[in-house]
Amino acid sequence: MDLFHIVSEDRIKKAYQDGEFDNLPGLGKPLQLEDLSGIPEELRMAYKLLKNAGYTQEEGQLRQEMMTIEGLLKKCDDSTEKESLQKKLNEKLLRFNQLMSKRGVKTNSAIFKNYEHKVQKKIKY
């Protein structure tokens, strides 16, 4: 054992003897462990960090869907299909912004830049 380990053990024993652990929340109740069996072992720490920071699976999925739709928009030549994709993208952006506002995060107004240009074009004409 190294010195750090010995000092740590001594401090824990002293705190236990002084009763510092007697009033902890959940004392005498079973631990509620998360089931992380569906997450690869090497990604579990990253998953826990993101979850503790408030990131949700829905948020990640929305980001992925928005990126996919943006990629399709860049490749699309059909105006009807482009309009449909843009509508889907705007819906996803709206939902994403709702999630962000629940977390108290301000979203970048540049996200709606494309939509803003369309509105400005309609107003000018």
Side-chain angles (χ1 to χ4, degrees):
M1 270 199 257
D2 63 346
L3 182 61
F4 180 74
H5 190 262
I6 294 170
V7 171
S8 299
E9 284 294 319
D10 287 342
R11 287 188 180 179
I12 291 171
K13 285 178 186 176
K14 184 177 180 330
Y16 185 76
Q17 290 169 353
D18 293 343
E20 293 182 32
F21 298 123
D22 292 344
N23 296 322
L24 293 176
L27 181 68
K29 297 177 185 172
L31 292 176
Q32 295 194 1
L33 301 174
E34 291 184 60
D35 181 23
L36 301 177
S37 61
I39 299 170
E41 195 170 320
E42 63 272 9
L43 296 177
R44 289 180 185 166
M45 182 59 71
Y47 173 81
K48 291 288 291 176
L49 286 170
L50 289 171
K51 185 175 179 192
N52 291 342
Y55 290 95
T56 62
Q57 187 174 5
E58 183 181 6
E59 177 185 334
Q61 184 178 0
L62 278 171
R63 284 180 189 261
Q64 184 64 41
E65 289 174 4
M66 288 187 302
M67 288 173 40
T68 302
I69 293 172
E70 287 172 347
L72 289 171
L73 271 170
K74 289 178 183 176
K75 304 278 185 195
C76 186
D77 293 329
D78 183 23
S79 62
T80 309
E81 183 67 22
K82 241 183 186 177
E83 190 175 307
S84 173
L85 287 170
Q86 187 62 51
K87 183 178 178 182
K88 285 181 186 178
L89 179 61
N90 289 341
E91 290 170 359
K92 302 287 181 194
L93 286 169
L94 184 60
R95 178 66 186 136
F96 180 77
N97 284 333
Q98 288 173 340
L99 285 173
M100 293 293 102
S101 66
K102 279 184 184 177
R103 274 192 20 217
V105 176
K106 293 183 179 181
T107 56
N108 188 353
S109 61
I111 291 175
F112 287 108
K113 197 176 221 178
N114 191 18
Y115 182 72
E116 180 183 342
H117 288 301
K118 285 186 173 187
V119 171
Q120 287 177 355
K121 282 181 183 178
K122 288 190 176 190
I123 291 174
K124 288 181 182 178
Y125 298 108

